[in-house]
Amino acid sequence: MPKLVLTYFDLDQSRGEPARLALHIAGVAFEDRRIPWKDWPPVRDSMPFKAMPVLEVDGQVITQSNTINRYVGKLTGLYPNDDWQAALADEVMDAIEDITVEIEETIALEPAAKKNARAALSKDLLLRYLQQIEARLERGGGEWFVEKRLTMADLKCFVWIRSLKSPRAEYFPADLVDRNAPLLARHLERVNSHPKIAAYYAARGK
Ligand SMILES: N[C@@H](CCC(=O)N[C@@H](CS)C(=O)NCC(=O)O)C(=O)O
């Protein structure tokens, strides 16, 4: 196994979290380098694209969360070997990435503008993504996205839905997911109750 260093914010969410979870699930040793927000400005310029996550593999660096997810998924057995199943997993991960970018654009808005932007997203684009991603879960049988087992697509979706349902997800209706994508709400619970994930968050006091 290569020597791995995963660098990301000190957050249990967003783009760096699926790879962390996969490495924990598979028991693959890695350095979990967490950058506190206050330390980010001086670190930013040292990152290839001034962003994280960044994964070092035997001293070589790769960036881009879904690239990291695919690579880590292959190391941990949580990414399909079959090309078609891999494409279905990629589709889910890339769609979640797209809607993440849309949501991110609202983060720094002033409260009134943020409220309006998030209300609009909840009625239109975000709603569509929830419904379309739920349809892809249904296509996989309703429990897992592909291969009827946990893969990186499930971890990416789990992290996304958990943040949408979090009390910190300002101005998104609290019942948005439950009302519009109940299969994704159940999927969240399914992944959350995976013994390795439950143990991981219990150990982190979450
Ligand atoms: N396309 C990149 C986007 C990376 C990205 O925007 N990361 C955010 C955190 S989730 C970041 O580093 N933000 C800090 C900044 O832009 O200063 C990926 O998928 O990894």
Side-chain angles (χ1 to χ4, degrees):
M1 199 53 81
K3 181 176 182 301
L4 302 171
V5 181
L6 181 59
T7 307
Y8 191 59
F9 288 109
D10 189 15
L11 297 172
D12 294 297
Q13 61 183 53
S14 203
R15 290 187 175 97
E17 186 73 350
R20 279 188 191 131
L21 290 175
L23 292 164
H24 279 288
I25 289 169
V28 171
F30 73 108
E31 184 185 336
D32 186 4
R33 193 176 288 165
R34 291 171 175 256
I35 308 294
W37 185 248
K38 66 174 177 42
D39 296 345
W40 174 234
V43 173
R44 194 169 188 261
D45 280 349
S46 68
M47 296 294 167
F49 295 103
K50 298 192 176 200
M52 300 187 289
V54 166
L55 180 68
E56 258 178 68
V57 183
D58 284 338
Q60 302 200 73
V61 167
I62 56 166
T63 67
Q64 306 307 320
S65 50
N66 280 344
T67 301
I68 293 170
N69 288 339
R70 278 184 284 277
Y71 176 74
V72 166
K74 288 172 192 171
L75 284 185
T76 55
L78 294 174
Y79 187 74
N81 287 323
D82 175 80
D83 288 343
W84 179 244
Q85 296 300 317
L88 298 181
D90 285 349
E91 183 193 29
V92 171
M93 295 200 294
D94 289 343
I96 293 171
E97 195 48 40
D98 279 0
I99 192 65
T100 298
V101 171
E102 297 288 335
I103 292 171
E104 260 178 0
E105 284 177 5
T106 67
I107 288 177
L109 296 176
E110 293 303 319
K114 190 171 189 174
K115 190 173 178 183
N116 287 340
R118 292 195 165 187
L121 271 180
S122 303
K123 289 193 192 108
D124 182 16
L125 203 58
L126 177 53
L127 182 58
R128 173 177 284 259
Y129 271 74
L130 284 168
Q131 291 166 340
Q132 289 294 325
I133 291 169
E134 178 165 88
R136 278 144 186 80
L137 184 61
E138 264 186 299
R139 177 181 67 188
E143 295 204 339
W144 308 106
F145 284 101
V146 296
E147 295 190 332
K148 303 216 177 328
R149 68 180 180 108
L150 180 87
T151 66
M152 294 310 295
D154 299 286
L155 295 178
K156 180 105 183 173
C157 185
F158 164 72
V159 171
W160 174 53
I161 294 294
R162 198 180 50 168
S163 73
L164 272 182
K165 283 174 69 79
S166 149
R168 284 173 302 170
E170 293 175 309
Y171 305 125
F172 290 122
D175 62 350
L176 181 71
V177 176
D178 293 349
R179 200 159 28 87
N180 297 294
L183 283 185
L184 294 186
R186 289 208 287 281
H187 177 263
L188 171 84
E189 298 309 326
R190 185 171 304 114
V191 177
N192 210 22
S193 61
H194 183 290
K196 292 274 175 65
I197 293 183
Y200 171 67
Y201 286 121
R204 292 191 54 71
K206 306 285 166 178

